[in-house]
Amino acid sequence: GRYNMLVPVAKALGMDADTKPGEAPFWKDEVMHILSMAVYHSFKTAKVAMIDHHSLIDMFWVWYHDELNHRKYCPVNWKWVIPPMSSSTNRAYLGLNKAQEYTLKPAYLLGRSPFQLETNYFGRRDTSKAMKKFENAVYLAIFFKRCIARIRARKNPLLI
């Protein structure tokens, strides 16, 4: 549901959300509609423009056919453009079910972590030697910092 709020909203509205299949089949649709209307109302009172799914898919449908006429193809992901509610009432519901869905390349795709790849190829690192060297470097840095502070403390200030 919308942000997993269907059951709490249904209970707040006095609906029985703990129904078995077939008892109250449309409570989820009703709660989704109420949530959509609430979101629309909040946008409207904030004077923020918002377009409904069905107007948007109608505009997309016109653009889609224009692209087909000009480029002869138009990649589209059916799951992303079809409205979430009452989707079968639009002609794009069946008109886009065989749309070309592909990824244009080159593309940035999410892959596995480089650290995980390194571990898979080279195995787990033995960091004990590196940590010992790092500790020595830290101790040397502290030692030199103290030496420089002592030297600066012994110098007489130079006045010009």
Side-chain angles (χ1 to χ4, degrees):
R2 190 179 289 262
Y3 308 113
N4 295 328
M5 293 300 295
L6 288 182
V7 174
V9 171
K11 288 182 180 178
L13 294 171
M15 296 179 187
D16 185 17
D18 300 323
T19 57
K20 293 177 178 59
E23 286 181 359
F26 297 112
W27 74 266
K28 288 183 181 179
D29 293 332
E30 189 175 349
V31 173
M32 278 293 291
H33 176 70
I34 291 169
L35 281 174
S36 295
M37 293 304 294
V39 168
Y40 176 73
H41 175 73
S42 67
F43 272 66
K44 189 176 177 181
T45 54
K47 294 183 174 43
V48 175
M50 183 176 167
I51 190 168
D52 66 295
H53 300 105
H54 299 285
S55 300
L56 194 61
I57 192 66
D58 287 339
M59 289 187 285
F60 176 80
W61 185 249
V62 171
W63 176 83
Y64 176 76
H65 282 291
D66 188 48
E67 284 292 301
L68 287 179
N69 289 336
H70 285 89
R71 295 193 323 178
K72 307 298 182 216
Y73 69 96
C74 181
V76 59
N77 190 331
W78 187 87
K79 298 178 289 284
W80 284 93
V81 297
I82 297 298
M85 292 177 57
S86 308
S87 54
S88 62
T89 61
N90 194 291
R91 61 183 176 222
Y93 180 76
L94 291 176
L96 290 175
N97 66 348
K98 292 185 180 167
Q100 294 176 349
E101 187 175 329
Y102 56 88
T103 304
L104 299 175
K105 293 191 178 180
Y108 291 104
L109 303 173
L110 181 62
R112 291 189 296 177
S113 161
F115 302 113
Q116 184 182 11
L117 288 172
E118 179 189 9
T119 304
N120 290 347
Y121 286 113
F122 302 113
R124 191 163 172 85
R125 285 186 188 187
D126 179 21
T127 58
S128 59
K129 291 179 184 176
M131 286 306 291
K132 187 63 179 167
K133 288 181 181 180
F134 180 71
E135 287 174 13
N136 290 340
V138 169
Y139 288 134
L140 278 173
I142 293 170
F143 173 75
F144 283 119
K145 179 183 172 187
R146 288 180 184 159
C147 288
I148 291 171
R150 282 189 211 138
I151 291 170
R152 285 187 178 157
R154 278 191 261 154
K155 276 185 157 182
N156 291 329
L158 179 66
L159 298 174
I160 298 178

